[in-house]
């Protein structure tokens, strides 16, 4: 998906990968005996406010597990920068927590999928769009406001490069 986003919006687009999915992916490369320790270490790294500190902690975890579990280390390093985009943009804590997971959008897509799954024979593309709209209207009732939504202007400014010195990030 990163490639499609970059192809559409340019190579300098800011992409935030889901940290929850990253942790799960890393866990899948580890034996059960190692999973909780590595997950806890990754959570501590992601809880760091400072980008460099978070990056260093994640790299230290990868280095530590590399000898015994090279695929886990590779998984940590793959897309590492994109799991730290909100750190690099210096987003406030609660806003960063809210935006570091794709779970809210996945929930919305799941509800829309259930709604559209009821139709067996699509008559046109417009019918698909109407059903998707109905699905998203249904899920909208379950939406809550984003924690620290008042900080969204900080995110917008960061994406436009106003609060990220030397960055060419765009929204």
């Amino acid at each position: 998906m990163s490639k499609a986003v970059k192809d559409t919006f340019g190579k300098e687009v800011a992409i935030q990968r889901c940290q929850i999915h990253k942790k799960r992916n890393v866990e899948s490369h580890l034996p059960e005996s190692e999973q909780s320790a590595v997950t806890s270490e990754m959570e501590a790294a992601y809880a760091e406010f400072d980008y460099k500190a978070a990056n260093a902690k994640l790299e230290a975890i990868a280095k530590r597990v590399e000898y015994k579990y090279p695929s886990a280390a590779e998984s940590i390093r793959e897309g590492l920068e994109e799991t730290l985009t909100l750190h690099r943009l210096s987003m406030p804590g609660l806003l960063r927590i809210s935006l570091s997971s794709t779970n809210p959008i996945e929930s919305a897509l799941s509800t829309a999928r259930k709604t559209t799954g009821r139709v067996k024979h699509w008559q046109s593309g417009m019918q698909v769009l109407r059903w998707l709209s109905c699905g998203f209207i249904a899920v909208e009732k379950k939406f809550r406001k984003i924690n620290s939504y008042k900080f969204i202007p900080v995110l917008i400014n960061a994406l436009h490069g106003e609060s990220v010195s030397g960055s060419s990030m765009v929204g």
Side-chain angles (χ1 to χ4, degrees):
M1 182 151 2
S2 287
K3 182 181 178 337
V5 170
K6 288 177 181 178
D7 287 349
T8 303
F9 297 104
K11 294 186 188 308
E12 298 300 319
V13 68
I15 297 172
Q16 173 63 46
R17 285 180 126 181
C18 180
Q19 294 172 355
I20 292 170
H21 287 104
K22 176 53 78 178
K23 289 182 285 190
R24 286 181 192 155
N25 188 280
V26 171
E27 279 181 350
S28 73
H29 295 278
L30 295 167
E32 242 181 83
S33 60
E34 295 285 334
Q35 289 177 357
S36 79
V38 171
T39 298
S40 293
E41 289 178 61
M42 289 181 73
E43 286 171 357
Y46 287 136
E48 286 287 339
F49 180 78
D50 182 66
Y51 162 77
K52 287 181 181 177
N55 190 318
K57 282 187 175 186
L58 289 166
E59 185 54 46
I61 298 165
K63 191 171 186 167
R64 183 178 64 76
V65 301
E66 190 167 36
Y67 181 74
K68 283 178 128 179
Y69 314 108
S71 61
E74 185 178 318
S75 179
I76 292 169
R77 291 181 177 125
E78 188 272 325
L80 178 99
E81 288 297 317
E82 291 178 347
T83 66
L84 296 174
T85 298
L86 294 167
H87 286 76
R88 198 171 55 252
L89 295 173
S90 301
M91 288 301 100
L94 284 177
L95 182 61
R96 187 173 61 210
I97 290 166
S98 295
L99 299 177
S100 66
S101 167
T102 57
N103 286 348
I105 192 65
E106 287 177 22
S107 175
L109 292 173
S110 174
T111 301
R113 196 175 302 117
K114 287 176 190 170
T115 302
T116 58
R118 297 180 187 139
V119 178
K120 301 300 175 206
H121 301 288
W122 297 106
Q123 294 176 5
S124 69
M126 288 306 293
Q127 183 186 24
V128 173
L129 293 175
R130 282 192 305 272
W131 275 87
L132 277 172
S133 297
C134 289
F136 285 120
I137 288 169
V139 80
E140 181 181 30
K141 295 172 188 166
K142 297 178 185 176
F143 285 168
R144 299 184 324 263
K145 66 183 176 194
I146 294 174
N147 290 330
S148 296
Y149 67 93
K150 292 178 181 177
F151 288 103
I152 289 182
V154 174
L155 173 63
I156 292 168
N157 289 339
L159 291 170
H160 287 284
E162 293 178 22
S163 57
V164 182
S165 59
S167 173
S168 57
M169 298 271 172
V170 294

